[in-house]
Every structure is written in C-alpha cells, then in structure tokens.
Amino acid sequence: MKDNIKITTTQSSRLSSVDFNNLSFGNIFSDHMLICNFKNSSWEIPQIVPYQPITLDPSSKIFHYGQSIFEGLKAYKDVDDNIFLFRPKDNAQRLNISAKRLAIPEIPEEFFLEGLKKLLAVDKDWIPNSPGSSLYIRPFIFASGQGFHASPADEYKFIIATSPSGSYFSGKVKVLIEETFSRSANGGVGFAKAGGNYAGQFFPTQLALKKGYDQVIWTDDTSHEYIEEAGAMNIFVRIKDTLITVPTNDRILDGITRKSILKIAEEEGISVEIRKISVSELVASSKAGTLREMFGAGTAAVVSPISTFGFRGIDYHIPEFDNTYADLLKNRITAIQTNKVEDNYGWRVKI
Ligand code: PLP
Ligand code: COI
C-alpha cells in the first residue's frame, strides 16, 4: 500500500518562516498533509499533498451532525536527528474505536501507520528537536457526505495534518472541580475522541477561565462526587506516597500517556492504585496535608502539574517540593520518547 501513496510536494515551502525556538501549541502547520477519501463504500489510497484548505458542500454532515473524530500523537527527534513516534499503533486502534461509536467507517490501520511514516519522511525538517518541542500530529476523520437527513454520511475524509509545537500549558495548572455540567454520560461518547466532546466542554471551561482557573476537572455525571478527567488530560493524584488514578469507563478517554505512566510508575517501585477518587477525599487529604501532588497527563500536555484546585468557592493549594512524581514520570516518559534511554516496552517506533 505504502508504495501506492502518491506524493505531490509543495513548490513553496514555508519552513524558513518558522521560528523553531519560539513554538506555541498547534498554531503552525507543516508543508504537507495526508488525505484519504471514503467513497463508494471503501477507503481510497491516501495521497500526500501540500497543506491546503478543503472545499465542502454546505450540506456535508460534519456541519450538522458533528460526525467527526480525531487523534493526537507526536513525532520526536533525537540528538542525531533520528525520528521516532510513540505508540502510534495505539492511536490507530483508538481512532477506530472512536470511528465505530460514531458510525464512521474504520480506516485500515496501515493507511494510518504507513501513511504517517511517509508524511513524516516528506516533512522531516518540520520536526523540532529543542527540549519540550515536538511535531504534534493530528489525524482526523469527518463526514464530508451530503444531505440533511440525520443519518451517517456516505462519504468521509481522513486527514493527517502536523504542527511543530511547544508545550500546551505555560506553567502549573489551576483547576476548578465542576459539579453542574458534565463532559460525558453513561452510554455516551466520552470514551471516544469525538469532536463534540470538546465543543461541549468549551462553555463550562470559559466560565472557569473567567474565575481565574485554567481548566475544569470533570466529575461523574450522576453524583458529581467522583473526579474523572481534567480537560484533555487524564488525572493523577498522589496521597502520601501512593499514586492514584481513576479507572477508565465509557465516560473517560483511555489515554496512552496514562497507561504509559502507570507502567513506568510500577517499574519505578511507586505504589499505584487504580480506583475512584471522591472530591471529599481530595478535600480531606488536602486539609490533612496528605495530598502531595495532582497532575494531568496527555499527549499534548505530557505531564502537567496542578497547583490548586477550586471547589465550592474555596481554593486548595498543593504545596511545592522537589523530586515530585510528576517530574520523575515526565522525565522518564520524555526520555523514552526522545531516545535518551532504553525503551524496554517497545513503545518507540523509529521512522
Ligand atoms: N482525556 C482526554 C479527554 C483527551 O482529549 C486526552 C488527549 O488526548 C487525554 C485524556 C489523554 O490521552 P492521550 O494520553 O492518549 O493523549
Ligand atoms: C492530545 O493530547 O493529543 C489532545 O488531543 C489534546 C487536544 C484536545 C489539544
């Protein structure tokens, strides 16, 4: 398949206009993209073309019914300019888990994996190698098929666009525990990376931003007593010396960073628990001085320490200290991703 991918390269590269020493997150797009159409009941062979706008009919179902899913992964360069992906097969598989739930035709895994490798070979000079930077990769599928009938489209587009990026958050994160709005519900699409999951978060998150927080911590939709996720991150809590994260379910995205961190923590000899965490436990342990750390974990955010959580008008601060689990785990996972240490898990994929 990969030899059939047609490549059309750009006549006017934008590479020289990019300041690779001052990258923000997801605002600059590399010269090329991969595009693949689903038509007549099958996926056509992907093509690599110059990054460009796409034209869609106003009746395309993406606009009306939000049939759209995405993934997020990163490409890294080591000091010798070798290129690596981190667990890309997991992203390809998760895209198809999302596809199934949104009644979108599943994409052959090799279109994703081989197509991505080819795209990276074409745009290899867009992969940053400065510390904390990487090429953020955004594969996505949406309904391009037409009609106002509320039913799945008969045509789709799979695109991979990439963006040289720096960190997602500029510093420690201040979060607000949300008790009114829900990100997802039992039987819903919370476990899928569906575009609508994020649209639904924007308004409650805007309210939190107005109050001076950076992010919302979602609680379960029925009782609002248990924490679930923090925006686009899975959540970790350290009480005394135990690292705790909540079990995934159909409301929570099964994060690749989360499961990698759990594995690394276990091998580092950290005591780990996967169990529900109630807001009252957080408040009680904060008051008792046993809540030592909170952090979010995700591809874009890597490991982002939380400085404060707000709940019912009170801010609970997490004291700072050296040698945190967040630092240890961030350093370990980043070292594996950027080929600084041995990868004993088979996570790193050389391009
Ligand atoms: N939870 C949500 C809702 C997300 O959007 C993300 C980001 O991808 C994560 C968790 C973390 O997942 P991963 O580590 O696979 O990036
Ligand atoms: C990722 O971490 O890859 C995400 O998808 C987060 C994104 C919503 C910015």
Side-chain angles (χ1 to χ4, degrees):
M1 191 285 301
K2 65 179 174 214
D3 298 325
N4 296 333
I5 297 180
K6 195 174 149 220
I7 302 178
T8 311
T9 51
T10 181
Q11 295 304 303
S12 52
S13 171
R14 288 171 283 103
L15 191 62
S16 61
S17 67
V18 178
D19 179 359
F20 279 87
N21 294 317
N22 282 302
L23 292 169
S24 56
F25 178 84
N27 290 317
I28 295 168
F29 306 100
S30 318
D31 276 336
H32 298 90
M33 64 188 206
L34 177 138
I35 184 157
C36 179
N37 294 313
F38 182 89
K39 269 189 191 155
N40 302 320
S41 307
S42 69
W43 286 104
E44 297 176 346
I45 298 294
Q47 292 188 31
I48 291 171
V49 296
Y51 185 85
Q52 60 191 277
I54 40 183
T55 305
L56 291 173
D57 191 274
S59 76
S60 295
K61 296 204 180 192
I62 170 64
F63 297 132
H64 308 277
Y65 305 120
Q67 231 190 331
S68 123
I69 53 174
F70 68 95
E71 267 306 320
L73 68 163
K74 285 174 172 173
Y76 309 85
K77 259 186 190 164
D78 70 6
V79 284
D80 300 316
D81 279 352
N82 296 305
I83 301 167
F84 300 94
L85 289 166
F86 185 69
R87 309 187 74 169
K89 202 172 160 50
D90 294 50
N91 292 94
Q93 287 171 348
R94 194 172 61 187
L95 185 66
N96 280 335
I97 291 172
S98 302
K100 195 168 177 199
R101 180 61 182 84
L102 274 285
I104 290 173
E106 291 176 36
I107 183 100
E109 256 178 49
E110 65 157 350
F111 280 28
F112 182 122
L113 297 170
E114 296 304 325
L116 175 56
K117 286 181 191 168
K118 259 206 145 137
L119 178 66
L120 293 179
V122 174
D123 274 342
K124 61 180 184 314
D125 294 340
W126 285 84
I127 307 172
N129 59 5
S130 49
S133 300
S134 55
L135 187 77
Y136 184 72
I137 300 164
R138 176 52 65 82
F140 58 106
I141 307 180
F142 64 90
S144 51
Q146 301 165 15
F148 292 149
H149 196 277
S151 52
D154 57 359
E155 292 187 2
Y156 296 84
K157 286 186 190 295
F158 168 58
I159 295 180
I160 307 181
T162 69
S163 169
S165 291
S167 40
Y168 194 75
F169 291 109
S170 52
K172 285 199 170 186
V173 186
K174 202 176 158 188
V175 296
L176 180 65
I177 295 183
E178 177 61 59
E179 289 190 282
T180 308
F181 297 100
S182 299
R183 189 189 91 93
S184 56
N186 287 328
V189 298
F191 67 93
K193 248 175 123 59
N197 282 338
Y198 298 79
Q201 298 190 55
F202 292 163
F203 175 63
T205 306
Q206 276 177 337
L207 297 179
L209 292 176
K210 274 192 200 142
K211 291 182 187 158
Y213 297 92
D214 306 301
Q215 189 64 264
V216 164
I217 294 232
W218 300 103
T219 50
D220 69 286
D221 64 302
T222 36
S223 70
H224 292 292
E225 280 174 25
Y226 296 93
I227 61 168
E228 301 222 305
E229 283 196 89
M233 302 182 290
N234 294 111
I235 185 88
F236 284 82
V237 170
R238 173 179 176 177
I239 295 179
K240 294 186 185 153
D241 284 334
T242 301
L243 185 67
I244 313 164
T245 192
V246 304
T248 53
N249 55 37
D250 63 358
R251 302 182 301 273
I252 296 178
L253 191 81
D254 186 3
I256 295 161
T257 318
R258 172 186 176 277
K259 61 185 179 190
S260 308
I261 280 180
L262 285 173
K263 187 89 198 145
I264 295 170
E266 202 179 281
E267 301 224 337
E268 290 290 331
I270 295 173
S271 135
V272 173
E273 286 178 11
I274 301 175
R275 63 161 173 86
K276 287 161 93 175
I277 306 166
S278 67
V279 181
S280 45
E281 180 181 7
L282 276 187
V283 169
S285 48
S286 173
K287 286 182 179 159
T290 51
L291 178 64
R292 303 194 64 201
E293 291 184 56
M294 277 176 82
F295 57 87
T299 299
V302 197
V303 172
S304 289
I306 292 169
S307 62
T308 303
F309 73 90
F311 180 62
R312 297 189 180 167
I314 299 174
D315 276 351
Y316 297 85
H317 301 287
I318 298 162
E320 294 214 10
F321 60 98
D322 292 334
N323 303 321
T324 58
Y325 285 171
D327 282 343
L328 172 91
L329 295 164
K330 182 178 179 174
N331 291 340
R332 283 283 296 147
I333 196 167
T334 315
I336 295 171
Q337 288 163 337
T338 54
N339 194 29
K340 289 201 181 100
V341 294
E342 197 72 29
D343 169 17
N344 300 322
Y345 315 104
W347 291 339
R348 205 162 51 213
V349 175
K350 190 163 186 254
I351 303 300

